[in-house]
Amino acid sequence: MKVLVFHGYLLRGTGSNVYNAALGEALARAGHEVHLLCQDRDPLALPWVDAAGDWDGGALELRVRRDPPRATVYRPDLGGLLPVYVADRYEGIEARPFQDLSDEEVARYVERNVAAVREVVARARPDVALANHLVMGPLVLARALDGAVPYAVKIHGSALEYTVKPHPRFLPAAEEGIAPARGVLVGSRHTAESLWAALGDPGLPARTRLGPPGVDVARFAPRGPAAAATGLAGLADRLAATAPAAASGSSFDRDPAEAAEALRALDPARDRIVAYVGKLIASKGVELLLAAFPLVLARAPEARLLVVGFGGFRAGLEALAAALARGDLAAARGVRGEDGQALPHLAAFLDAVGGDADAALAAATTGRVHWAGRLEHEELADVLPATEAFAMPSTFPEAFGMVAAEAAACGVLPVVAGHSGMAEVARSLAQAVDPEVAPWLTFSVGPGADEELADGLASWLGAAPDVRARTRAAIVGVARERYSWDGVARTVVAAARGELDGLPEP
């Protein structure tokens, strides 16, 4: 079968980028012919990609390394401007949030992608298609395919929560793109309900099915202590050997030397490593984790926190960590998100701290928070097995907790905010672990969030060896059974064909 996929962004990093790279690989592995449109500038770096095309010279040109190609990735010419949901950086193109664009700029973006899709369709004649994100992928396929090719839509959280819901001017585009779709895939019940409420289409629930991302369980797998330490050290060495990029001072850029230094400071034989992986923006709740970490250290003094990620809030988070380390609660209270907004949950925690907290915070956190910056997704396979716990403290709805599932596949306990798609991952794990462990998997976002998050992490680090061994085996088993990219590929094809009866409802 020939499958067309419209993504529009990269094939590396986190979230929907990883989803589409892994989906493309799984579709090709299943024997399908894949035609994927995105903005990745080096798709041939991915071993499963056989050919790459672009319109940089004014007409479509293909570079083929295996003929006939099973998987081809195309990069439409956008004229230098890429709309995004959250502020980001892209090589060779200006990325600006949708809400900062004029209607004319959005229209040109859609038109250029529609033209590219139409040309690929004329050449490849796909049988089915998939649009990613609520805007503008579905709109692009609705106009480009014009009913000739059935398609499904995969809803990722960013477009829904950061663009369509807070900025209603984009709702008509979402409605036009969703209307012809045979099936709509969501990562969780929470995302489904949010989507239904936003669009208000009474017929949409009948077309909505559960379609969470998958986990590469061959790559993300448990390792023994020696192998985990070797993998972490090997990654640090590879990063250190990477030619450094020109320094820009941007929190979005990858800094291999910084990452190598952070990883080399950690010793899995000595340290109890807690990891965060994700965007460094206020909605991800990293400030809650930084504030909670001294409470973890009070019960597990050998703990260390590894922060992996990039984004506009990094400077603020580093300032917060420094303020906590020197016991300056007034400075910590003054930290604001990258958008200038207050951080109410952090403020509630700091207001509750009293007594000798200043000295305790200073003694506890100094030198125990390590910033790795931006890592590629595949590099996490050498990071997660060396950790003992993973925190996903997002205060904003998440479509799915993909990295939490990957951590579980490595035998690492994820402690996540107890809402949206993250909670659904936690519930699937909770069914398999000991009753005493289940409460550690989630915490409530509210005035007591920091204490609950700290208790989950510290309780896990302090659990008896037999409890930890049973838990690791259980969560690895759940990850392998419930999350598979081959299963995701089958779900996508079925949803695009409108074969929904065999797919789970959210």
Side-chain angles (χ1 to χ4, degrees):
M1 182 175 294
K2 297 178 181 181
V3 183
L4 182 143
V5 178
F6 183 87
H7 172 40
Y9 298 98
L10 301 183
L11 296 178
R12 298 166 180 81
T14 59
S16 63
N17 296 343
V18 173
Y19 175 93
N20 280 276
L23 172 63
E25 183 176 15
L27 288 167
R29 186 169 57 242
H32 300 296
E33 183 178 305
V34 181
H35 298 271
L36 192 158
L37 292 92
C38 67
Q39 283 298 308
D40 200 287
R41 290 188 168 268
D42 189 19
L44 291 175
L46 299 169
W48 57 272
V49 177
D50 301 320
D54 61 58
W55 286 261
D56 291 349
L60 176 60
E61 294 184 6
L62 289 175
R63 290 168 290 152
V64 179
R65 66 176 173 189
R66 284 187 293 268
D67 201 8
R70 174 67 65 183
T72 304
V73 175
Y74 308 83
R75 179 168 51 82
D77 177 9
L78 301 184
L81 180 61
L82 175 65
V84 295
Y85 313 111
V86 177
D88 206 341
R89 293 287 186 88
Y90 281 77
E91 179 185 353
I93 198 167
E94 179 189 4
R96 272 195 279 146
F98 270 95
Q99 64 268 23
D100 295 341
L101 302 181
S102 68
D103 291 344
E104 292 75 17
E105 287 172 323
V106 174
R108 281 196 297 271
Y109 167 75
V110 172
E111 289 166 3
R112 285 175 176 268
N113 279 307
V114 167
V117 170
R118 283 176 175 163
E119 184 167 351
V120 172
V121 169
R123 294 169 60 97
R125 300 189 179 279
D127 300 297
V128 295
L130 174 73
N132 283 269
H133 296 290
L134 183 53
V135 289
M136 295 288 171
L139 178 64
V140 168
L141 289 197
R143 294 182 178 179
L145 302 178
D146 196 24
V149 179
Y151 70 91
V153 173
K154 174 65 173 80
I155 301 297
H156 304 276
S158 297
L160 172 62
E161 302 295 346
Y162 290 107
T163 301
V164 175
K165 289 174 67 175
H167 305 287
R169 60 182 274 224
F170 299 108
L171 184 58
E175 293 171 335
E176 182 180 343
I178 286 286
R182 297 284 185 89
V184 177
L185 298 173
V186 295
S188 66
R189 174 74 184 189
H190 177 276
T191 299
E193 292 176 344
S194 181
L195 174 70
W196 300 338
L199 268 61
D201 178 357
L204 186 55
R207 291 185 289 143
T208 306
R209 293 294 184 271
L210 194 61
V215 174
D216 185 343
V217 295
R219 174 177 291 167
F220 290 91
R223 298 180 185 177
T230 298
L232 192 68
L235 175 58
D237 290 343
R238 294 193 299 276
L239 289 165
T242 302
S248 69
S250 170
S251 60
F252 293 87
D253 290 342
R254 176 175 165 88
D255 186 342
E258 175 190 54
E261 181 180 359
L263 299 184
R264 284 175 170 169
L266 299 169
D267 180 0
R270 176 198 65 201
D271 305 320
R272 316 290 298 281
I273 304 172
V274 177
Y276 166 84
V277 177
K279 286 284 187 72
L280 300 184
I281 53 180
S283 61
K284 296 297 184 180
V286 189
E287 72 278 2
L288 301 182
L289 178 57
L290 291 172
F293 198 59
L295 306 182
V296 177
L297 289 165
R299 293 167 56 183
E302 63 280 6
R304 300 255 181 157
L305 176 59
L306 175 64
V307 180
V308 178
F310 61 93
F313 193 28
R314 172 159 176 178
L317 291 170
E318 289 182 311
L320 173 62
L324 293 173
R326 65 178 183 268
D328 187 347
L329 301 189
R333 288 189 185 92
V335 173
R336 294 291 184 269
E338 73 280 5
D339 56 1
Q341 297 298 308
L343 305 170
H345 302 304
L346 174 65
F349 168 72
L350 294 174
D351 289 343
V353 172
D356 298 324
D358 291 6
L361 289 168
T365 59
T366 301
R368 294 184 176 275
V369 179
H370 306 271
W371 304 83
R374 186 173 195 153
L375 292 179
E376 300 298 344
H377 178 255
E378 60 269 17
E379 293 170 335
L380 297 180
D382 283 320
V383 173
L384 291 176
T387 69
E388 294 196 41
F390 173 80
M392 192 172 185
S394 182
T395 57
F396 203 75
E398 299 281 351
F400 184 71
M402 185 169 69
V403 186
E406 289 171 339
C410 294
V412 178
L413 190 80
V415 180
V416 305
H419 62 78
S420 62
M422 297 175 291
E424 298 196 22
V425 174
R427 280 194 289 271
S428 69
L429 300 177
Q431 296 172 6
V433 301
D434 291 357
E436 69 175 294
V437 176
W440 304 342
L441 289 162
T442 60
F443 68 94
S444 299
V445 174
D450 300 86
E451 291 90 340
E452 287 188 37
L453 172 57
D455 183 66
L457 293 169
S459 296
W460 168 245
L461 295 178
D466 61 326
V467 173
R468 291 168 57 82
R470 285 197 304 273
T471 301
R472 284 194 293 267
I475 63 178
V476 169
V478 170
R480 289 177 173 172
E481 180 181 353
R482 291 181 64 97
Y483 307 115
S484 158
W485 281 113
D486 293 332
V488 171
R490 290 191 294 271
T491 295
V492 164
V493 171
R497 292 165 61 95
E499 298 169 351
L500 305 181
D501 290 345
L503 302 181
E505 297 182 6

